[in-house]
Every structure is written in structure tokens, then in C-alpha cells.
Amino acid sequence: MIHIMSLASRGSLKLSGKASCASCWNWLPHVHYPFIGYCSIWRVTTFDDYYCLNYELVSVSGDRFYWCSTCKLRLTRDDAIIHWNGNHRIFRAAYVDPDVREELYEG
Amino acid sequence: MIDLNLIIGGPQGGGVESAGQVVVKAIVLKGFNVLGTREYHSNIMGAHSYYHVRFSDGIVRALRLPVESIVALDAESVLTHINDLSERGFLVYDIDTLSQDATRIASMEPSLRRRLRNTFNSLGLNPTVANAIKILEEKGVKTIGLPLKDLLKKVSAEIGAPIASIAKTVNVIGIASSLYMLGFEPEYISKALELQFGNRPKILKPNITAASIAIEYIESNYGKRPILQDGPHKGKRRMITSGNEIVAMAKIIGGLSFETFYPITPASDEAFHIEENKYIEVEGVEKDSIDKLSIVVLQTEDEISAINMAIGAALTGSRAATSTSGPGFSLMNEAISMAVEAEVPILISLWMRAGPSTGIATREGQQDLLHSIFSGHGDTPKIVIASGDHIEAFYDTLKAMNWAEEFQTPVIHLLDKYLASTITVLDEPEIDPSIVDIRRGKRVESPGDNYKRYEITEDGLSPMAPLGSTTMIVSSLEHDEYGFASEDPIDREEMMKKRIRKFETIAKSIPESEKLVLHGDIDARITIISFGSTKQAILGAIEELEKRGIKINFLQFRILSPFPSNSALDVLSRSERIISVESNAMGQLSLLVRAHTGVNIEYSIRKLNARPLYDIDIVYGVERIIKDNVKSVVVSSGS
Amino acid sequence: MARSWLDYRTEAWVQWCPGCGDFGILNSIHKALAELDIDPKRLVIVGGIGCSSRSVYYIRGSNVHTIHGRSIPVASGIKLANPELTVIVVGGDGDILGIGGGHFIALGRRNIDIAVLIFDNAVYGLTKGQAGPTLPVWVKTKALPYPNVQGNINPLLLAFASGYTFIARGYAYHVNQLKDIVKAAIQHKGSAVVDILQPCPTYNDYMTSEWYEKRIYYLKDEDPTWDPAIRSIDEYRVKAPRIVEKMLEFGDRIPLGIFYQDLTRETLEDRFEKLTPGYLSSPPAKRPISVDSKPLVHPFKLFKDKVLVT
């Protein structure tokens, strides 16, 4: 298991100075406008500079999918580690508007 | 004279579509004519898409570049459209995107990224949004950097606790800023939002708030804007419709009762709109029990099934149609041949897109002209009609359904991606369905015994009885008059002649005025020939060229099969210089004209980049041909 | 007076080889139609391309001869546009299961009330005996230069997996038994398929009448309690494994008869009627489309949601 701290000790981790939504495990950035996101604890939309006591630092550890908002890609854990090491912004998942199909075209 | 263009760009799924719709509504409410089109990638979410809108107090014939306003909802939109903005125009963008660099925008096409890098590097700059802003400002463009996040926070604060719909106001902040800059009163923006989201108060409220916050911001930072005078179309009932929608409407109005389809861009939206309205309330039908009529709309397993099923339905006497695009039409070829041999009335709406092969599924092309005319093996004459604009598409759909039944033949209605996804506004008299009577030809409901499905007649048309009315045989094999398979040489020859006579009947029955239209001065020495959705752009170009002292007329080919050879020759033989305008590489119309008239079309303007043809493209092309005496101009505008 | 099977014959000369199994099938169809007393004017036989598809010329009806593999879509269009008609598809294994395989599957999903009669001789007769989709692998008929290298489809299992609600197998030379099966298939409300084993004496010298007759037996003869009807989901759960087991049996022993008849599933026509009441009484073929040549509806009235007042 690769824990966030082990990555930090390898010198590849850059944490934001303050514990805000932008680096919180519970926060899902909007797929297109990543300064807005959805807090899965409070179940509300917040901005990336908000914070609260439920803050939990994002990490790539469990064998699950992740979201790289830099590349706009869904990643498996192995991929996520590579993106993380490249200083990309990794999240648990992305927030997609439930009515997004209204904005989509036949393609 | 008001004549303005704007672009709203953003990631697919990021609110560009509803933003475009709101803008179109606001423009129509304000009394202007409008044309709006969607340009997008073949992608579900994330790739760049944009809405291009032009509005005017006059007729809006085509979209035009450069535009007076760009709303860039993300960095990619700023960079993608950097060359699309007029010097007199303004850009609305998010200041938080300033540091973004084209080389690091994942969703951007690699080729565009490379081009931007090269262009910026040659100026000694990196391809960042900040540098793009710098370049634009040097050009004289006004740039309006919105502190988008702060504005959204304000919205969120004003409507109480942050709720999920905040993200849905990003686009509205952008367009409200743009519309206000252009001189739209805030009421028009709110009213357009009400029309868009009126039935969903939870979305409407934050959007109204977002619009007023955006306007407040613009006002306090850029001053109060002069009000744009209302357009001339106030106090009217007007309809906003896309090409897909207007064809669907025409099919429903014209009595279509059976439509099949297999999902394909840009055709499926048409079937979708029919399905949405497949259960219709009718008045004035004498049959007592009916107050609602249904249309069978069925998604089939492939396009082969789609057309064959429609053929089956047509044989029972139903008005039947299918809609598709190039790849699906390829699959339909054998059945088209059957429909010719078995004499089945069927309408195929063919929404062309950029080929060959899958090509670019979501972009414009006029490459299926020859394919449609020559579709089907064997000698397979059929009707092919190409509509020039929304209004033509409406009436042509009604006529095509009539012709299919009157002449017991497949009719291919050529449309394209540009018409499919372009939105326009219409007045009630412009689409008056009573102008085209519903005619069904030589139908017999009770033919009695000894019915000959393929009775030899002078006009080549046999009385057509529906399946189930008597014993009969409908056959895709060569047959005798009864429909029994026959390889007898005389039967064969008679049936070949019958089908040719029928095609001659078609050619004689459809008036020449339907087949081709000469726009402009008959004595002009330069003639543009074209077909399909290029019509309005050409008309717009002719007006513009006239202002520049160049007189041109335009011969629009509407019916490509049977080909109006003599009338075409009449016009073409008078012209000194003929220029074909087509969005295909082969010059398909030129080939066809030469085949039918012997006239060699020496000059051409072609658009090959799968973007819509703009009026300025043609102006540019004609000027090159006249002034530089080049024979062939490829026009390359569009993002 | 009820019709006789002779009323369903036509004047056309039947163009099949001497000894062809199709003759037996044709006769069974004539007899089944007579016993059901179906009005030939209201009967639609739809054929594809191939020897057997030519049956459209040999059965009196309001018939359609289509193109190769497309009889099912054409028949589906006919039935959905006018559900009052009796619609039967005739064709070979190559036509229906080979080139038309995709449509065969789709019909099962839809459960349109159509009977599909597969004249299954495992070869392409008209084109000189190439391997059909039901010819087993490694079989080398005289007509083939090398043995067949492609495996065979199990039509019954394919039908079962696709959702057909009536699945049966018959044998071309058992005219009376086949007649009863065809009758049941026509009477069944929903998509019905009868796989009719049929020797092709000209091209298939492997699956001959001797070959078949050594192997075939009737489900009912083996098990007099055999009842293919499914009346509830519970009955389905109980019977399905045994039905599938019987469908899988194709080798030394080949069962015949009705394997499966699901009476619980609604047809596509019923689904349309549910969604848009009035469809069945006023289907596409019969509904009015105009009054005095004028449309029944106006765009500005019908599509109000697109209209705004400026």
C-alpha cells in the first residue's frame, strides 16, 4: 500500500498550505469547473478554498478509481500514483451534474 | 443596422448548450432575427464545444467570423478562438484561467496545441491565456476578465446555503455579461432564463441571481452600457427551431405514421423529436373514436432493418420514413434498390456529415450527393431533393412524402449537419402547412380480385393497393404485372420500360420551379451553382458582393434527380463564368452538371475543413477567382 | 364454407428440385392455413432470398418477396403498421440465421406477433450448396471442396436467448405433424419460430432423410406429459432447465415438437397500445393523415413549447 506520507517522504508530494476542500478526500471537484465541488459529507456544493473540521487529506492508497482533474481522466490506483508523482491534482472522483445530458450533443 | 455575432465556448457538458439557447431566446425576445449553431466534438463530455450566434434586424442568412463577442467559459475557449474575435469586439473570460497554458490543456486537439505553441513562440511568448489576452488587447479587443469564483460565491451567498445548482450558473454569468455589454436590458436576460428554466424554479432562481450579479459587476467596472434598440420583430408569435426539429415537425404534420431509425449523428435528434411528439391530439377527424393519433417510432438493430421495416410499413399504406447519415445510408443501399424494383413509397432523410467513413461524425460535409443519386445496384432512378434552409426543409419534407406516394418510389431528402444543429426563428406564415396538399397518388383501397400490382400503364404508375386489401405479390425480383417472379425477356423489358416511363412521369410532373431556382439577376455574367445548406450563405455573399460592385446570380439545384438538364443549360449557357460552391472535395455537383448538360464548371469554391460555410468564405472565394483569376479556392475559416 | 388447403395454392410452378423437403413444408403450410381458415387477403407471407423464400409465390396471400436476409424487418414493419394482418416469414437457414442473423435476434427482443418458418437444410441451395449456418463443423458435403470449417448455430437456443416466445422444431417430411406445429406457431401471440429440418437431396448428401430419420423423435412421444407452455414466472423457473436441455440435444438424437411457449410476455403491439392507447384500433396503416387533403395539425398549435411571444 502506498500511503500519501510515503509519497511525501519521497519528495513528490506538494500539499496546499491550508486544509481546504481543494485537497480534501471528501470533496469531488466539478468535472469542468474544478474550483467548485461537491462535499460528500455536507452534501453541498462548496468552493475549493472552503474548509471544515471533517477535512481529510486526499491520498492515493486503496485499490479504487481516482480522478485527475489536471488531465480530466478517471484513473485506476496504479495510474493515479503516476499522476500524483507528476504533481497532478488527484481526487476521489469528479462531480458531474445529474442533468448533464441536457448539455450534451449527439456525437 | 444591427448585425452582431457572438460565440460561447466551453467544455462539452459545461453549459454551452443551455447558454446558447438562452442567448437565442433573449435575442428573439428583443425582436431580432437569429441564427445559432452548435459546433462540437464527437465526444460525450469535456472536449471543446461552442455556440455561434448571429443576430440582426434584417435577415440572418449565415454565420459570420470574426465575431463581436466571445464568452470563454474555460482557458481552451480563449485559446481556440483567438483568431475569431473582431478588433471591435470583446472577450469575456475567467481571470483564474490566466496562467493556463495550451500545452497543458488535456482536452485540446494536439494539432491545435502545436499551432498555438508555434504562433505564440514566434512572438516570443508561451501559449498562455494571459498572453492571449495581451495579443488580443494589442489588436484593440476589449477584454473583460471576470472574477468568476468570487461572483459565484456572491451568488451562493445571496441565495442562501450553497446548493448544487451553483455550478449551473457559470455559463449564465458569462452570457449575462456578454448580453449586457451588447446592450441587452437585464429584463430580457431574465425573461429568456424564465423561458428556459421556468418549470424548474430550483435552477431558475440561482440563474436569475447570477445574471444580475454579473450585470452589476460589469456595470460597476465598465460603466453603464448604452441600451441596444429593440429589433423590428416585437409583439409577434415566433418559433425557435433547429433543422432536425423542423423536419420532425413536417413529418408529423404531413401524416407520417411510421418512422424507424438507428442512432447516428446528426440524424437521431430528428427521430427523437418525432418520438417526443408521437402521440398527438387532433381535431376535425370524422372517425369518432379518435382524438389522439399515434406514430410508430422504432429504434432498430441497424440501418438495414430501419429501411426495410419502413418499406414493410409503407406497403401496408402507411406513410413511412427513416432518417440516417452517410454510414447508415451505405447500409441502406440494397433496400433502396428493392424499393425501386418493388415500387415502394418511402422517404429517407439523409443528414450528411463529414466523411469518408466515420470521418468527423459531428461536423459538416456535403459529400453524399453522388452517393444518394447512385445509391442501389441496378438501374435505380429515384427522387433526390436537397433543401437549402429550414423553411425549404419544412416544405420539402411535406412534398417528399407526397412524391414518394404519388410516384411509388424512394425519395432521398438531402440535409446536413449544419441544418441539423442550426437554430433559427420563424414567423407563423413562413411554415404554413396548408400550402402543400397531402396527396397520395393512385391508391386503391379495395382493388378486388385479379389485382395487378405492377399493371403496365402509360405513365408507368400502377394503382397501388395496400397489403391486406387483396391477394397480390410485391416483388423485388423482376416480375410480371401480377408481381410473380419472371425472367421472360418481354416481361423484363416491359418492366424496365415501365420504370423508366415512371421516372419520366416524375420529371414531367414536378414543376421546373421546384427543381432549380435562379436567385438574383438573370443577366449577371457570373453564376454560382450549389445545392443544399449553402444556399443562405451564398445569398448573403451575393448581397455583400453587390455592395462591392460585383454582380452575381445563383442557380440553386434543389432536385438533383431527376436532373433538370434543360432548365439548367438555359441558365448556364448565358453565364460567362460559373463557380460551383460545395463542401466536398470531388466537386460532386460540378460532375453531375457536366454529365447532364455537357457544361464544364471551371471554377470552384470548396470548404473541406468540416466547418459550416460562411458568407464571407464565398465573398473571399469569388474575389480571388475574379481578381487573381484562380480556378479553385479552398476556404478554410472556422474553429 | 371453410377454405380447403387447395385455396392457398397459386398457379405458379413450384421451382424446387425433385425430392426437395420444401414440398413437404409448403404442403404443411397450406394445410395449416386451411385449418385456421385464414383469409388469403389478410395473410402476408414475407420471404427473403433462396429456394424456400420463393414460397411467397406458392401460397395465396398478400405477399412480399424481399431481399436476402431482410424478410424479418420487412415483416416487422408490415405487422406493426397493420397488426390485424397475419404475418408469416419464410426463408432458409442462410437467409434467416446467416445474413439475417441480426434481425432474427432483434425480432425475439421485440416479440412482435410474427411466425418465422426456417426451412433448414444447412446449405445454400440456389448458389450450389455452400455451407449454411446450421451445417456442423468438419462436415464435407459432396458440393464442398473441403470440409466445413465453421461451426453451426443452434437455432432453438439462439431463439430462446433472443426472447422468442414460441420455439419449435419440425421435420419436412412429416407433413401432418409439421402442419400442427405451424398452426400452433401462427396461432401463438408473439414471435414464434419453427426450425424445420429439411433434407436437400441435391447439395446436402450428409444430412439426408435417412440421417434425420435415424435421429428424430417427438418430445411428446418420449414424454407424454411434455407441456411447453409457460404461464407464470414460477413455471418458467421450473421448466426452463429441462427445455434448454432438450434444445441442446442435437446429435444422435434430435427432438421435434414444441419446446417452449411463453404465454406471459406481452407483444410489442401490446406495448405500443399501452404507451399510446388507440394504436391497435387506429394503427399506422389505417389512421387518417389528412382532412380534405389538408394536415390534421398545425405546427404553431402542436409545438407550442417552441413558440414564444416577443
Side-chain angles (χ1 to χ4, degrees), chain B residues 99 103 120 181 195 208 211 216 221 249 278 292 298 307 329 333 343 388 404 410 419 425 458 491 501 531 541 591:
Chain B
S99 64
T103 56
F120 278 66
M181 284 295 294
L195 283 170
I208 299 269
E216 246 168 59
N221 287 275
M249 282 191 270
K278 72 174 178 181
K292 288 199 115 178
L298 193 64
I307 187 166
F329 188 69
N333 265 258
E343 304 198 35
L419 279 180
V425 61
E458 214 170 297
D491 280 349
R501 279 205 305 282
F531 72 101
L591 288 170

Side-chain angles (χ1 to χ4, degrees), chain B residues 492-560:
Chain B
R492 161 67 177 178
E493 199 173 302
E494 286 304 310
M495 284 299 155
M496 288 290 278
K497 285 180 179 164
K498 171 192 193 295
R499 289 190 290 270
I500 292 302
R501 279 205 305 282
K502 180 167 104 173
F503 200 56
E504 286 164 0
T505 301
I506 295 172
K508 268 184 269 169
S509 309
I510 299 177
E512 290 301 291
S513 58
E514 286 287 8
K515 293 179 191 157
L516 77 186
V517 181
L518 182 69
H519 303 270
D521 189 343
I522 192 162
D523 294 322
R525 300 204 172 148
I526 304 170
T527 299
I528 284 179
I529 59 164
S530 193
F531 72 101
S533 74
T534 54
K535 173 189 167 185
Q536 291 293 348
I538 294 170
L539 293 178
I542 288 177
E543 287 165 8
E544 180 63 37
L545 285 160
E546 184 118 33
K547 284 184 213 157
R548 303 186 188 187
I550 300 169
K551 212 156 113 187
I552 289 189
N553 60 27
F554 163 38
L555 186 60
Q556 181 201 358
F557 286 85
R558 283 178 29 81
I559 295 205
L560 289 309

Side-chain angles (χ1 to χ4, degrees), chain C residues 152-168:
Chain C
N152 56 331
I153 284 172
N154 181 324
L156 306 189
L157 275 176
L158 184 62
F160 189 68
S162 306
Y164 281 80
T165 47
F166 179 102
I167 301 170

